[in-house]
Amino acid sequence: MDQKFLKLSDIPTGNECLVVKVHGHGSFRNRIIEMGFVKGEKVTVIKNAPLKDPIEYKLMDCHLSLRRSEADLIEVMDVTDHAAPDDTALYNGTLPGDSFKEIIRTHAHTVNVALVGNPNSGKTSFFNRAAGMREKVGNYGGVTVDAKKAVFKYKNYTINLIDLPGTYSITEYTPEEIYVRKYISEEHPDVVLNVVDASNLERNLFLTTQLIDMNIRMVMALNMYDELSREGAVLDYHFLEQLFGFPIVPTTASSGVGIDQVLERVIEVFEDRSEVTRHIHIHYGEGLEEAIDRVKTPIASNKVLTDKFAPRYLAIKALESDRMVRELLEKAPNFAKIDETSNLCIQELTREYKEDVKTLITNAKYGFIRGALNETFTEGKRKRHLTNAIDTVLTNQWLGFPVLLFFMWVMFQATFYLGEFPMTWIDNGMAALGDWVGRVMAPGPLNDLVVNGIIAGVGGVLVFLPNILILFFFISLLEDTGYMARAAFIMDKLMHKIGLHGKSFIPLLIGFGCNVPAIMATRTLESRRDRLLTMLITPFMSCSARLPVYILLVSAFFAAHRGLVLLSIYAAGVVVAICTALLLKNTLFKKVSAPFVMELPPYRMPTLRNTVTHMWNKGVQYLRKMGTIILFASVIIWALGYFPQDSGFAYGTPEHLEHSYIGRIGKTVEPVIAPLGFDWKMGVSIVTGLAAKEIVVSSMGILYHAPDTEENTAALTESIRPEFTPLVAYGFMLFVLIYFPCMAVVAAIRKEAGGKWALFTIVYTTALAWVVSFLVHRIGILF
């Protein structure tokens, strides 16, 4: 039976419904359940009050009323249209039908679990292991920049696992903090799973104290517990869970240890069977506690607010002058009284303690954490010795930058030399496939489409798959080991000079893989100014989609110094980004950048599973693009080059191609690009590359094909040599690097920053690409 689940407040007068689930926090939820609103219970809507609030219900032969805001938090199934007219065989007010019971059982056994934790705590590793998903995992802040959801079965339950962005707190300073806070407050997950890095307890538990204030149902996954044990530390987590009032389970998510035990505790909390669970109040000291009680009193009279938020939590946030809570409280009828009381308390506390209230509350939270750890934790003697030893070299004032450049050089050298062998195999395979298809298919347009359109176009890009995989393998190693955060630390001084800080380097480095997730990763930056500035220079980071263009041209014209030339192209992107940032810093973004604050996580040995998974995911995305946008573009480009057939020139000759539709397009743009040394075929490749940069190579594979040679990369290399020079090839690579980012990147910028910045990116990058390529060509001619 297909059944829609509703809020109790949505059920019309006279209808009957069955209770499926009660949402909301501690005291409210307990009161509603004690009134009889339990799973499977029948409720009849009697009538609405004249002002539609409250609503009278019949439950267990009793009549009671609920405010509409309370009824909003009770999930039900309307059974009015399904109940039999003579069905009076009710037992304790419940409907006996097996179909209803099964529907309720299934939905009531669906648990919404929100993963909340600090960056680097292993949330996404837990998500992957628990759900069997293959999300990207990285050992630095900001990998998860949006909520990801997985649905899986565990025993008789359906688990909806939501991986929220990593955040150090749930205040209102960064987008991920606001996102996590709003999700918990508005979506009401059944259980919050707080993932904590066991090797960095004091800092991680600050977020835990904020969750405790919210009075929500929780379980803690004490992750990376193996590292804590290796350091020689001892934690009495059984006593700690008694102090905190919720279950705590040690885990090592990277290897799957403790995952099942966490899910068991989640279900116990969900079913209210946990013997550990109880709500505690963090004691903030006599003065603060008195102020909290004074502010809580006027707040508590607003049941519309306190149904969804614990009044103590709202009082604490009011004393912290929290903007989001203030906006919420402004809707209360007695806001003037709340505001007056909180302002008076803030003045008194500030005068008495000579400190702002937010700092007082933060200090009290850390005092609570230290007190709990003093009772339960014995620190090890080997803590981070290896990390500190490695950092003496990798983050050294003089050695750090050369080491970073060396790692980049090794990555690009490996991309060429390790990728050369499988690239040759795929290349030969595509050539053999094209040759075989050309022989077995009858001559004609279809044969030409398959051989010179699809195989030449898609195959010309597919051969670079090994290079893409190797590049992402190295990027994954940098992320998983923790070196990515060190790269940000090393680059901080340079980034500060261009108006940013080291943390902005993380999205830029991600951009070497793909600009789209790099744009999304700017959400982790606290300042909107920093987010915008980082977003606008990210497209200059040479993504993997441009790599096939570089490999083709570098192999053709710079074979003796392939790794060095490729590194110079990537370095050119960085230089352009720096110059752009300096320009924007002194024109559109004059505000001073935020100070650099970023965690340097301990070095961790990357797991082969995570690294290969990351590499494989990117490979799948690349192949998916081959089968969709690049296949479509290759067919379009072939058709534009094949027709019209009545041009007066034999098909396959340079004259026919020049007079085809694609030739006419190229001739139209040629005057614009001629000063750069580019011909019309290069112009067509540039135009088609607007959709995706891989299509540049697909276009070249079709436009520069030699009819009497095998259609493979070697043949294409030979075909382009007479029409390029090393200078033109280098200028063309720079143009592809700088100009119009792909449509997906433009869409991401539009989503994150707005349409005007997306338009600015399109115009600025394309104009800049022309200027840079022009200067390189003209200056190069002089030498």
Side-chain angles (χ1 to χ4, degrees), residues 41 57 96 121 187 190 198 211 216 243 264 268 303 326 341 366 380 395 460 472 474 481 606 639 647 703 725 760 777:
E41 203 66 45
Y57 297 100
S121 62
E187 298 299 325
D190 297 312
L211 297 173
I216 52 181
L243 295 176
E264 289 283 356
E268 286 179 7
K303 298 302 181 185
R326 181 180 175 83
T341 306
Y366 276 113
T395 60
F472 276 108
F474 276 92
T481 56
S647 61
L703 294 170
T725 65
F760 173 84
H777 185 66

Side-chain angles (χ1 to χ4, degrees), residues 49-207:
L51 297 178
K52 302 294 185 183
D53 204 0
I55 306 171
E56 182 183 348
Y57 297 100
K58 181 182 177 183
L59 175 73
M60 296 182 177
D61 293 325
C62 295
H63 287 243
L64 49 87
S65 65
L66 293 180
R67 293 184 308 279
R68 188 168 292 274
S69 61
E70 294 175 318
D72 280 343
L73 296 174
I74 302 175
E75 193 172 0
V76 298
M77 179 178 71
D78 192 340
V79 297
T80 302
D81 295 336
H82 301 287
D86 59 347
D87 187 4
T88 57
L90 304 179
Y91 180 74
N92 284 342
T94 59
L95 290 173
D98 289 340
S99 59
F100 288 141
K101 288 180 179 179
E102 180 59 27
I103 292 169
I104 293 172
R105 188 200 67 78
T106 300
H107 192 69
H109 279 60
T110 299
V111 191
N112 299 313
V113 183
L115 282 174
V116 178
N118 284 194
N120 310 314
S121 62
K123 277 188 316 85
T124 306
S125 291
F126 186 98
F127 181 82
N128 289 345
R129 280 288 183 174
M133 299 287 283
R134 295 293 181 268
E135 289 300 332
K136 180 170 173 285
V137 179
N139 186 19
Y140 63 95
V143 175
T144 308
V145 292
D146 206 345
K148 298 178 179 67
K149 181 179 179 180
V151 181
F152 61 96
K153 290 284 186 180
Y154 181 75
K155 297 188 175 178
N156 294 324
Y157 292 84
T158 299
I159 308 292
N160 292 328
L161 193 61
I162 300 96
D163 183 18
L164 296 175
T167 178
Y168 294 107
S169 70
I170 44 175
T171 50
E172 53 179 356
Y173 296 118
T174 66
E176 72 268 19
E177 290 178 358
I178 296 171
Y179 188 100
V180 171
R181 182 166 154 185
K182 282 189 172 181
Y183 187 90
I184 295 172
S185 300
E186 297 174 4
E187 298 299 325
H188 305 291
D190 297 312
V191 180
V192 168
L193 178 53
N194 181 205
V195 181
V196 167
D197 179 0
S199 64
N200 200 348
L201 282 171
E202 187 172 331
R203 208 280 322 288
N204 275 243
L205 290 176
F206 181 78
L207 175 60

